[in-house]
Amino acid sequence: MIKNRISKTVLATVIAELCITGYAGAQTTAAQPAGGEVQQVVVSGIRASLSSSLMTKRLQDGVVDAVSAEDAGKFPDTNIAESLQRVTGVQIQRNNGEGRYISVRGLGPEFNNVLINGRTMTSDTGGREFSFDVLSSDLISKAIVYKTSQAFLPEGGIGSTVDIQTARPLSGKVGSSTVVNVSDSWDSNSRKNTPNLSALYSYANAEKNFGVAGSLSYTDRASRQYKALNDAWNLLDVKTINGNLNSKGLTAADVTTKKLLMPQSYGFQNEDESRKRLVANTTVQYNPSRDWKITADALYSRLNQRNKVIAISDWMNPTQLNVKADANGQVTGFDRPGSNFVANNPGLAAAGILTEANSNDMIVKGGDRLSTTLAYGLNSKWNLSPDWKLEADLSSSRTAIGYPDLWIVAGMVPKNGDVLTFGSTPTVTFGDGIADPSAVRAHAVGNTIASNHDDLHEGRLNASWSTDMGWFKGLQMGTAYSQRKVEHIQWSSDSWNAFSGYHVSLPSSLFTVTPLGNPFGSGGGVPANFLSFDPYDYMAYLNQPSLIPQSNDPAHYADKSVFPNGPMAIDYTKPSLWAVREKVANAFVQSRWEGEGWSGDLGLRYMRVKSQSSGTSRILLSAVQSPNDTTYIQNWGPMQTNSVDNSYNAWLPSANLKFDLTSDMLLRFGASKTLTRPTLNQMGVSNSYGGRTGYVTSGGGNPYLKPMRSNNFDVSYEWYLSKTNYVSAALFTKKVSDFLETSLQDTKLPQYPNEIVHDTRVRNGQKGTIKGAELAGQFAFDKIHPLLEGFGVTANYTYVDAEANRDTSEGPVACGYPGLSRQSYNASLFFENSKFQARASYNWRNHFSIDCGGGSTLPRNRAAYGQTDASLRYNLTQQLSLYLDAINLTNAKVHEYANNDSQFLTLENDGRRINLGLRMQF
């Protein structure tokens, strides 16, 4: 027997109980007193947090990582996702600078199963991907990341299963305790200060058979984001007018056509955001006897996100002047003809080559997000005998989100043309001023109200049997059933082409000269000012009966039977609806094995899924080109309902084996089959249509999607140098099939007989392999030298290589898996003593693909990104401390491109964020 090795029999008992209790994972200690309640060490300080996370990792048979709170209300970061990015192999995606989604080992948010206290939570996205920004980190005690599969874990996480745990009153100390956090948040771009408040209360009686915990968190954030953006790069037949902006009398003989890679648009955007979040959580625990434990939970979250987005943008028609291209057939610059050039060259108009001038568009986009989630559950555990345990769990979760989906366009038709150059930093020189309120004309209006509703009810019954029959140590088994319904409802106005074409002048009173922020920091040729406007005032002006004669079809838009409240008004009598209903039944059995210096588990999970996708929407009968623009006027038919059924099942085996090489070295092996079900909002039956002449687009859902499947193999080496210090290395391989990704395919539709339609939707892709390596470690320098006492470091590095075998008809073969960065790493340096704590962290991830494009559209890639954060804590007393958190200290910017850096897509400047606060504990 290896000395100092944790008793496997005790360990088996601990893990068996924890596995059937909401998949909660291992706690921070294996000690078990006479009362039978597994105790959790109360952590405080950075080292204790690291030690707690390390013990969680060490006790598992599979490959697991964790992040633990330093103390009640002291999770390491202001956002849970930002803490998880410090876990080896975990990367995050941000929303206006705040972590929202996670990717694990290169697999995006839809491939990671996120649980709250072991239960699935509904999502405000309409899919399965979990939005971490709807929760406050103040409420969380621990987040566990399972990287290898075990039969007791719910299926769905090819990348990982993440279990977020809230505080349990009977796991803490006897009596009452209260923690209050008050802070102020400052955003460098908006220059605004906003308040934040959280409070946590916990009580446990002296007998520790009754306890209650409650928490409340309010977060207010005001931010501003600056962007330079191009929507896409497309391979098009580009007509080059050979001349310059002063040329006169050009004809069709002066035009050449060549297939080139052409940018779709270019412009700048300001986004002001207000984000108010209220989260409340309550837990009641009661143990009627030593052998019966009851826990009830309730969670409420409300996120009110208001966005004011205004952009100035040039749309690039494939007919331009003085087009320049490099040797690879990529456009590097051109001139956009203004109205003077069109008037001076009537021969081009007569030949149908250039019939109108280009425009400078001002665009208001909808981005509001009002998300509400309510979740509650009841859990009961029984110790039927010393060897048998039983657990039952019932839970329900509901999320509703409402949002306006606006795309409102006004514009100017410049007399003088614009000059554009494209490269890693594009530039535009506007021929006319873009801040003249008297020069604005009406264009397209997209006005929609939409909502998502996600309802989930699930129940499970699990049992465990412990024994000591040689190597065989027992079984865990269980069954579960869930019903989920995701519903999307949308109401729209039929206003898109009512006034499109820039032929209706608008009063200058609708527009305000507004400073335009520069995402580049300096350079880039960004104008100092542009025009902003209120979209609802703009639509109200166009909706006046006196304006109808100037519309593109006066008789149509004046018809009160079709437009009783005018063409700008939303028609609430004709909702577009899609819904996906899903029923999932599953069962598992997992055996536990143990010998001298080794332990492991072997399990099998079975699942059966039935889904039904339905939708009600108008049918597009035909589309004709607008008389004043290159857009299409769409002719809609009556409402039609459609429904599609789908079903599948799967057997998912898993095995994990752990060897004690020495008293402080472990070697783990894992093998499993896993799957990820199609995310629900991808399975709708609706279709949408858009674009312009020469580039028509369509999209929608795909109810015939199959789950993505993966065969996984893992090996991990871990060396535990102390309770805090360790190093580890891991190798993993995932052989995937039916990969789910957004792809673009060219098709023909009868509604657009003379066009190639570019259809974008999620499809099952081809087979491929994801393989990688992880290195991690943490070390406190206390025993090295007295001058280093209090200092420590944590660091990890992940390398992921992917190979996708795609059919060329489904997109560019060179595109990687969306969301997968080849390399990522993070490192933190910390210092702490009894009065002071400090930590600086740097997180970096390599470039990755956002989507693979397809057809004539190039992929979208995000450039490598690194961010530096820091935090300070000072303990005024044992009960009172000051803290300062700084996010994105170096003001790193998000950059996106197509195939290479010269094919610019987006530069995003989110600014810095500072939180200054006071923590009080009673």
Side-chain angles (χ1 to χ4, degrees):
M1 179 70 70
I2 298 175
K3 293 183 179 180
N4 300 321
R5 180 167 57 89
I6 297 174
S7 167
K8 295 293 180 63
T9 303
V10 174
L11 180 60
T13 303
V14 173
I15 292 180
E17 177 161 341
L18 294 171
C19 285
I20 67 170
T21 309
Y23 320 118
Q27 299 294 322
T28 57
T29 178
Q32 188 163 345
E37 180 72 28
V38 175
Q39 299 295 306
Q40 182 173 1
V41 176
V42 177
V43 296
S44 60
I46 296 175
R47 282 174 179 75
S49 172
L50 296 176
S51 179
S52 173
S53 300
L54 196 59
M55 182 62 76
T56 299
K57 177 182 180 69
R58 184 171 186 172
L59 289 179
Q60 296 288 327
D61 283 332
V63 180
V64 169
D65 282 294
V67 181
S68 301
E70 297 177 22
D71 202 346
K74 287 181 66 177
F75 210 67
D77 296 274
T78 56
N79 179 281
I80 303 170
E82 289 166 358
S83 288
L84 286 171
Q85 73 178 331
R86 310 194 200 293
V87 171
T88 312
V90 177
Q91 303 153 346
I92 70 171
Q93 296 178 29
R94 292 176 169 85
N95 175 23
N96 286 4
E98 185 171 345
R100 183 176 182 184
Y101 301 122
I102 66 167
S103 298
V104 181
R105 290 180 164 180
L107 289 164
E110 64 272 31
F111 301 109
N112 295 286
N113 207 9
V114 178
L115 312 172
I116 307 293
N117 294 320
R119 300 172 180 134
T120 304
M121 284 280 289
T122 48
S123 171
D124 71 348
T125 65
R128 302 187 199 277
E129 54 272 30
F130 183 75
S131 297
F132 283 87
D133 58 356
V134 302
L135 292 180
S136 169
S137 62
D138 291 330
L139 316 180
I140 308 305
S141 63
K142 181 176 290 187
I144 302 176
V145 181
Y146 294 89
K147 296 180 180 177
T148 56
S149 182
Q150 292 173 276
F152 74 87
L153 292 171
E155 71 281 346
I158 287 180
S160 71
T161 295
V162 180
D163 187 18
I164 299 171
Q165 301 176 8
T166 58
R168 292 289 187 258
L170 295 185
S171 297
K173 61 184 180 180
V174 171
S176 300
S177 63
T178 303
V179 176
V180 177
N181 279 302
V182 181
S183 66
D184 177 84
S185 181
W186 179 78
D187 181 87
S188 64
N189 282 353
S190 68
R191 303 281 176 175
K192 291 183 179 180
N193 294 79
T194 50
N196 306 284
L197 173 68
S198 68
L200 298 91
Y201 173 79
S202 180
Y203 167 78
N205 64 1
E207 296 78 16
K208 295 207 83 172
N209 61 8
F210 176 78
V212 60
S215 56
L216 182 69
S217 172
Y218 175 76
T219 305
D220 190 354
R221 182 189 171 202
S223 64
R224 175 173 292 175
Q225 180 190 71
Y226 304 130
K227 268 188 179 183
L229 64 164
N230 162 31
D231 291 330
W233 283 83
N234 302 303
L235 184 62
L236 302 174
D237 290 323
V238 177
K239 293 183 173 64
T240 299
I241 303 172
N242 301 306
N244 57 53
L245 290 171
N246 297 316
S247 298
K248 298 181 179 179
L250 299 179
T251 67
D254 299 298
V255 178
T256 57
T257 301
K258 188 176 182 181
K259 193 170 286 292
L260 298 172
L261 286 169
M262 180 84 176
Q264 186 169 301
S265 63
Y266 184 63
F268 310 101
Q269 174 179 301
N270 281 6
E271 179 174 356
D272 288 299
E273 178 185 280
S274 169
R275 184 180 301 198
K276 295 178 172 62
R277 181 180 62 206
L278 177 67
V279 184
N281 181 65
T282 301
T283 300
V284 178
Q285 289 186 295
Y286 174 56
N287 298 343
S289 70
R290 293 175 56 184
D291 298 320
W292 185 13
K293 306 171 185 179
I294 301 173
T295 302
D297 296 274
L299 174 75
Y300 173 81
S301 172
R302 185 179 190 272
L303 176 65
N304 187 358
Q305 180 178 320
R306 303 288 181 177
N307 294 66
K308 182 180 179 182
V309 184
I310 179 72
I312 177 76
S313 179
D314 282 356
W315 177 272
M316 314 305 183
N317 294 321
T319 300
Q320 299 294 349
L321 177 66
N322 190 26
V323 177
K324 303 178 181 66
D326 61 19
N328 299 317
Q330 177 181 316
V331 169
T332 59
F334 54 85
D335 304 334
R336 299 176 74 242
S339 59
N340 287 342
F341 181 88
V342 174
N344 290 334
N345 296 276
L348 296 175
I353 294 170
L354 187 65
T355 59
E356 60 180 10
N358 288 280
S359 62
N360 297 326
D361 291 335
M362 286 153 290
I363 305 170
V364 171
K365 306 174 185 179
D368 292 353
R369 177 178 163 216
L370 179 57
S371 172
T372 303
T373 297
L374 177 62
Y376 48 90
L378 181 65
N379 180 277
S380 184
K381 298 187 300 178
W382 297 271
N383 294 331
L384 303 179
S385 72
D387 298 329
W388 280 94
K389 300 179 187 298
L390 185 66
E391 181 249 0
D393 191 273
L394 295 173
S395 63
S396 183
S397 178
R398 174 180 173 82
T399 297
I401 179 173
Y403 53 94
D405 188 4
L406 299 177
W407 190 273
I408 313 294
V409 186
M412 303 176 181
V413 179
K415 294 182 180 179
N416 303 297
D418 302 336
V419 179
L420 293 103
T421 64
F422 277 87
S424 57
T425 302
T427 63
V428 56
T429 302
F430 293 100
D432 292 13
I434 60 169
D436 181 4
S438 64
V440 188
R441 303 180 183 184
H443 191 45
V445 174
N447 182 20
T448 298
I449 295 290
S451 67
N452 290 332
H453 296 271
D454 188 354
D455 288 276
L456 172 65
H457 308 282
E458 62 180 359
R460 64 176 183 269
L461 183 66
N462 294 346
S464 70
W465 171 49
S466 299
T467 186
D468 194 4
M469 300 170 58
W471 292 347
F472 179 60
K473 299 301 179 183
L475 290 174
Q476 300 161 38
M477 61 210 80
T479 184
Y481 179 78
S482 67
Q483 291 186 352
R484 190 170 189 174
K485 178 184 178 182
V486 173
E487 185 178 53
H488 175 86
I489 306 174
Q490 180 174 300
W491 300 268
S492 303
S493 67
D494 195 7
S495 56
W496 181 254
N497 287 295
F499 292 93
S500 63
Y502 311 97
H503 62 284
V504 177
S505 298
L506 297 170
S508 59
S509 59
L510 290 175
F511 303 92
T512 302
V513 177
T514 305
L516 179 59
N518 191 340
F520 299 99
S522 61
V526 182
N529 299 294
F530 71 148
L531 296 178
S532 63
F533 64 96
D534 185 296
Y536 298 101
D537 290 344
Y538 174 76
M539 288 187 288
Y541 177 82
L542 292 179
N543 212 39
Q544 298 177 95
S546 60
L547 266 292
I548 297 298
Q550 299 182 57
S551 69
N552 287 318
D553 192 341
H556 176 60
Y557 292 112
D559 188 346
K560 289 296 182 180
S561 65
V562 180
F563 302 100
N565 299 307
M568 298 294 114
I570 290 177
D571 186 354
Y572 288 99
T573 66
K574 298 176 181 178
S576 176
L577 164 69
W578 63 258
V580 178
R581 296 169 176 84
E582 182 182 68
K583 297 178 181 179
V584 182
N586 52 53
F588 79 92
V589 60
Q590 181 170 301
S591 58
R592 178 160 180 82
W593 304 81
E594 177 190 323
E596 180 67 25
W598 65 273
S599 63
D601 59 67
L602 180 65
L604 180 64
R605 190 175 187 89
Y606 171 79
M607 56 156 286
R608 173 72 175 172
V609 177
K610 293 183 179 180
S611 66
Q612 182 184 71
S613 302
S614 59
T616 301
S617 60
R618 295 182 299 171
I619 302 302
L620 182 63
L621 300 178
S622 62
V624 296
Q625 186 177 335
S626 170
N628 295 299
D629 189 38
T630 58
T631 57
Y632 277 91
I633 296 176
Q634 295 165 342
N635 178 29
W636 297 95
M639 304 295 288
Q640 179 174 310
T641 300
N642 189 24
S643 180
V644 176
D645 292 330
N646 195 10
S647 65
Y648 50 87
N649 57 17
W651 294 92
L652 304 172
S654 61
N656 292 275
L657 185 60
K658 179 172 67 174
F659 290 100
D660 293 326
L661 301 179
T662 69
S663 61
D664 52 17
M665 291 186 187
L666 302 178
L667 186 63
R668 305 181 192 269
F669 296 92
S672 64
K673 287 187 176 182
T674 54
L675 60 76
T676 289
R677 300 194 295 273
T679 193
L680 296 164
N681 59 357
Q682 299 168 348
M683 298 172 61
V685 295
S686 60
N687 292 289
S688 60
Y689 307 90
R692 295 171 177 253
T693 303
Y695 197 81
V696 175
T697 62
S698 66
N702 185 351
Y704 300 102
L705 291 174
K706 299 178 292 184
M708 172 179 161
R709 300 173 187 265
S710 178
N711 296 332
N712 315 293
F713 305 94
D714 292 79
V715 58
S716 174
Y717 166 78
E718 299 158 16
W719 183 11
Y720 296 90
L721 305 171
S722 70
K723 292 182 179 180
T724 303
N725 303 341
Y726 88 102
V727 293
S728 69
L731 299 173
F732 60 89
T733 297
K734 298 179 183 292
K735 296 184 179 296
V736 300
S737 59
D738 291 324
F739 201 90
L740 296 164
E741 60 186 353
T742 301
S743 64
L744 187 151
Q745 293 183 1
D746 290 347
T747 187
K748 294 286 291 184
L749 294 177
Q751 297 92 330
Y752 298 91
N754 300 318
E755 297 276 8
I756 298 295
V757 179
H758 307 288
D759 185 74
T760 301
R761 65 188 72 216
V762 175
R763 297 177 171 90
N764 284 105
Q766 304 301 309
K767 296 179 180 180
T769 301
I770 300 172
K771 54 187 177 181
E774 297 175 338
L775 298 173
Q778 61 191 38
F779 199 87
F781 300 121
D782 297 349
K783 297 182 179 180
I784 294 180
H785 192 280
L787 292 178
L788 296 177
E789 186 173 352
F791 285 95
V793 64
T794 67
N796 61 68
Y797 168 82
T798 303
Y799 176 84
V800 182
D801 187 24
E803 178 182 313
N805 301 317
R806 290 184 175 89
D807 188 320
T808 55
S809 66
E810 297 197 8
V813 176
C815 180
Y817 288 116
L820 188 149
S821 291
R822 183 177 291 268
Q823 299 183 79
S824 64
Y825 64 84
N826 67 74
S828 296
L829 177 67
F830 65 85
F831 171 82
E832 69 171 344
N833 57 31
S834 61
K835 299 288 288 185
F836 183 73
Q837 293 181 17
R839 185 185 64 209
S841 301
Y842 181 73
N843 294 271
W844 181 89
R845 66 181 298 185
N846 210 184
H847 69 273
F848 65 94
S849 170
I850 297 176
D851 69 65
C852 289
S856 61
T857 299
L858 296 188
R860 174 176 289 268
N861 292 289
R862 182 163 293 180
Y865 179 86
Q867 179 169 306
T868 303
D869 304 325
S871 65
L872 302 174
R873 300 284 188 276
Y874 182 74
N875 299 324
L876 300 172
T877 67
Q878 288 187 344
Q879 291 78 34
L880 193 63
S881 59
L882 287 170
Y883 60 89
L884 177 70
D885 297 318
I887 295 92
N888 195 18
L889 273 172
T890 59
N891 196 23
K893 302 175 180 65
V894 176
H895 174 213
E896 294 177 0
Y897 55 86
N899 275 331
N900 57 69
D901 186 66
S902 67
Q903 296 169 348
F904 177 91
L905 288 172
T906 301
L907 185 71
E908 178 181 311
N909 181 336
D910 296 311
R912 304 174 180 88
R913 192 165 77 251
I914 307 293
N915 295 321
L916 176 63
L918 181 68
R919 181 180 185 271
M920 297 162 281
Q921 186 169 7
F922 311 100

